[in-house]
Amino acid sequence: MPTTLRTQVAIVGAGPAGMLLSHLLAARGIESVIVEARSEEYVAARIRAGILEHSTVELLRSVGLADRLEREGDEHRGIYLQWPTERHHIDFVDRTGRSVWVYGQTEVQKDLIAARNAAGQQVYYQASEVVPHDVESETPYVTFTAGGVDHRLEAAVIAGCDGSFGPSRSAVPAEVTQTWERVYPYSWLGILADVAPSTDELIYAWHPDGFAMHSMRSATVSRLYLQVPNGTPIEEWSDDRIWEALATRLGHGQDGWKLNPGPITDKSVLPMRSYVQTPMRHGRLFLAGDAAHIVPPTGAKGLNLAVADVALLAPALADLVGSGDARLADAYSDRALRRVWRCEHFSWWMTTMLHTSGDPFDAQLQLSQLRWVCSSEAGATGLAENYAGLPIGF
Ligand code: FAS
Ligand code: PHB
């Protein structure tokens, strides 16, 4: 016989979406319980996104989650776009008044875990057999096993924040679900290196050999990426080969600029795809973050979209569960999807502009597009508006 638990909002997934949602709900006096498949240590250590857009930082500030970010994060005015022989800075602040911050998702996650632990948030880690039930009823529940005990978590609503491989998206009946997907013909090989960044702001580089990007995590840790074919075995890429390819693609020696290599401490290959599932709400089940949508990382939108979803979802659930007012809950999916599709388009636009396909015609189109973006106020402002991020609720 399972142990029965009761709460107001059952949250599946303790990534940024789930943890931030619980924080925003608690600020509105709404109780939640989180069910997470992995351990706290695993969730805290995952290496993922690096850029927080303006609205994300504003939101974290507004709920007291930005203290360490303000101390240790790095505010950036813009990015560099580059192709062989040219590098141009796109200044977001000049064009939109909005900056972005370099502060790894790993750090955001640690801050969220610390805040929720301090608040006594109930999180069941290392849960298995996690299944949402009766999402079309007024009494949905989640069953799971944790610590060798079977549980039944009863709630007024379920928030599916369990990423692209969790059970929530498939708890929406197929007959009401619509999905869109685009798989890109390339992946990113990403590295972390214990070396000071060779640039003050991110460099996105188009090169005939393939895309490369120079990001960072701090004044002593660099984060860099290389376009590689899908299915590339990481063993094929020695540290020397990685640094040589990065130097070539990022323009080492161009106008006196040098790429400083260093010890690589992590490397992985990340496939790239766009994915959207609608609706983001079915009955008493609400999807947020990667559970509902995936973007290629070229636009630095994945984490920021998860934040934007829960910024809309928290007041909607607070009204629904607190006073029975369903207006925001009924509007949630359509409102969230407006930003989702804007970010899907921008991420696709950045990806297809910067990644080589091997087709010489594509290469000419890409170089023309890059020249236009870097020479036109309209082009540069369009990129700046989307990269720095539109206001929440756009
Ligand atoms: P998450 O995937 O972060 O969290 C979902 C949580 O649900 C996880 O903790 C998972 O363990 C849990 N879960 C899964 N199945 C479950 C189950 N059955 N039961 C209970 N819990 C379950 N975005 C960028 O902007 N830039 C990047 O460079 C970037 N790099 C990435 C690299 C990788 C390898 C990945 C996978 C993603 C990357 N992303 C990047 C996107 C990433 O940052 C996501 O957008 C962000 O983590 C979304 O947050 P969540 O929606 O909370 O999903
Ligand atoms: C990162 O720093 O990990 C990063 C930055 C910008 C992107 C993607 C990833 O577009």
Side-chain angles (χ1 to χ4, degrees), residues 48-51 188 202 204 213 215 217 223 225 297-300 387:
R48 286 191 172 167
I51 300 296
W188 276 12
L202 274 64
Y204 286 76
M213 194 234 286
S215 183
R217 287 293 177 271
R223 176 72 162 157
Y225 297 95
T298 327
Y387 196 106

Side-chain angles (χ1 to χ4, degrees), residues 333-393:
S333 184
D334 287 346
R335 283 193 69 199
L337 283 164
R338 276 177 47 187
R339 189 185 196 91
V340 167
W341 281 112
R342 174 85 312 271
C343 292
E344 288 285 351
H345 175 268
F346 178 65
S347 302
W348 164 84
W349 183 81
M350 286 284 281
T351 300
T352 53
M353 177 170 67
L354 287 158
H355 291 72
T356 47
S357 64
D359 178 325
F361 183 69
D362 283 350
Q364 291 309 314
L365 295 181
Q366 290 169 328
L367 288 169
S368 170
Q369 187 177 1
L370 284 163
R371 289 191 185 100
W372 171 72
V373 168
C374 294
S375 60
S376 147
E377 267 312 300
T381 302
L383 188 154
E385 277 183 351
N386 283 281
Y387 196 106
L390 298 156
I392 296 265

Side-chain angles (χ1 to χ4, degrees), residues 205-217:
W206 182 96
H207 188 276
D209 294 354
F211 168 78
M213 194 234 286
H214 191 329
S215 183
M216 65 285 288
R217 287 293 177 271

Side-chain angles (χ1 to χ4, degrees), residues 183-190 211 225-232 249 268-273 297 355:
V183 178
Y184 296 87
Y186 30 73
S187 297
W188 276 12
L189 188 158
F211 168 78
Y225 297 95
L226 279 173
Q227 174 186 341
V228 293
N230 283 337
T232 293
R249 299 183 193 186
S268 61
V269 175
L270 169 70
M272 300 174 79
R273 69 190 177 106
H355 291 72

Side-chain angles (χ1 to χ4, degrees), residues 121-176:
Q121 173 67 42
Q122 177 73 59
V123 184
Y124 287 87
Y125 286 103
Q126 294 179 288
S128 59
E129 311 300 316
V130 182
V131 181
H133 299 272
D134 289 359
V135 298
E136 294 171 350
S137 77
E138 303 268 313
T139 54
Y141 62 96
V142 177
T143 55
F144 64 95
T145 300
V149 176
D150 293 342
H151 293 81
R152 173 190 169 105
L153 173 59
E154 297 179 350
V157 294
I158 298 172
C161 302
D162 42 358
S164 43
F165 303 106
S168 294
R169 60 169 60 169
S170 52
V172 180
E175 56 270 23
V176 300

Side-chain angles (χ1 to χ4, degrees), residues 67-392:
D67 293 349
R68 193 161 72 97
L69 161 60
E70 305 263 35
R71 289 197 310 274
E72 299 176 17
D74 192 14
E75 187 171 14
H76 283 201
R77 295 183 60 91
I79 60 170
Y80 295 96
L81 290 181
Q82 171 175 316
W83 56 95
T85 73
E86 294 196 39
R87 179 182 292 179
H88 297 271
H89 188 254
I90 306 288
D91 193 299
F92 305 153
V93 178
D94 283 350
R95 292 188 169 84
T96 71
R98 298 161 77 85
S99 62
V100 295
W101 284 71
V102 173
Y103 188 68
Q105 177 173 331
T106 311
E107 306 315 314
V108 174
Q109 189 73 39
K110 285 175 188 167
D111 295 344
L112 283 166
I113 290 172
R116 299 316 299 142
N117 287 347
Q121 173 67 42
Q122 177 73 59
V123 184
Y124 287 87
Y125 286 103
Q126 294 179 288
S128 59
E129 311 300 316
V130 182
V131 181
H133 299 272
D134 289 359
V135 298
E136 294 171 350
S137 77
E138 303 268 313
T139 54
Y141 62 96
V142 177
T143 55
F144 64 95
T145 300
V149 176
D150 293 342
H151 293 81
R152 173 190 169 105
L153 173 59
E154 297 179 350
V157 294
I158 298 172
C161 302
D162 42 358
S164 43
F165 303 106
S168 294
R169 60 169 60 169
S170 52
V172 180
E175 56 270 23
V176 300
T177 297
Q178 194 170 358
T179 62
W180 294 262
E181 182 168 30
R182 173 154 303 176
V183 178
Y184 296 87
Y186 30 73
S187 297
W188 276 12
L189 188 158
I191 66 167
L192 268 182
D194 280 345
V195 63
S198 302
T199 176
D200 59 339
E201 296 192 332
L202 274 64
I203 304 169
Y204 286 76
W206 182 96
H207 188 276
D209 294 354
F211 168 78
M213 194 234 286
H214 191 329
S215 183
M216 65 285 288
R217 287 293 177 271
S218 69
T220 59
V221 177
S222 292
R223 176 72 162 157
L224 299 105
Y225 297 95
L226 279 173
Q227 174 186 341
V228 293
N230 283 337
T232 293
I234 195 74
E235 303 72 33
E236 271 183 20
W237 284 82
S238 69
D239 292 7
D240 288 348
R241 185 185 177 197
I242 290 171
W243 284 116
E244 278 161 30
L246 285 167
T248 300
R249 299 183 193 186
L250 289 167
H252 175 81
Q254 195 173 302
D255 299 330
W257 182 80
K258 293 191 180 318
L259 175 66
N260 303 314
I264 293 177
T265 58
D266 185 274
K267 57 171 111 167
S268 61
V269 175
L270 169 70
M272 300 174 79
R273 69 190 177 106
S274 300
Y275 176 86
V276 177
Q277 175 171 319
T278 66
M280 290 176 59
R281 179 260 180 110
H282 180 72
R284 290 290 178 126
L285 173 67
F286 295 78
L287 303 180
D290 279 16
H293 42 71
I294 298 289
V295 286
T298 327
K301 289 300 165 199
L303 169 59
N304 294 296
L305 257 183
V307 169
D309 284 351
V310 299
L312 289 176
L313 187 54
L317 296 186
D319 284 358
L320 179 64
V321 172
S323 62
D325 179 347
R327 286 173 299 175
L328 290 180
D330 293 345
Y332 166 69
S333 184
D334 287 346
R335 283 193 69 199
L337 283 164
R338 276 177 47 187
R339 189 185 196 91
V340 167
W341 281 112
R342 174 85 312 271
C343 292
E344 288 285 351
H345 175 268
F346 178 65
S347 302
W348 164 84
W349 183 81
M350 286 284 281
T351 300
T352 53
M353 177 170 67
L354 287 158
H355 291 72
T356 47
S357 64
D359 178 325
F361 183 69
D362 283 350
Q364 291 309 314
L365 295 181
Q366 290 169 328
L367 288 169
S368 170
Q369 187 177 1
L370 284 163
R371 289 191 185 100
W372 171 72
V373 168
C374 294
S375 60
S376 147
E377 267 312 300
T381 302
L383 188 154
E385 277 183 351
N386 283 281
Y387 196 106
L390 298 156
I392 296 265

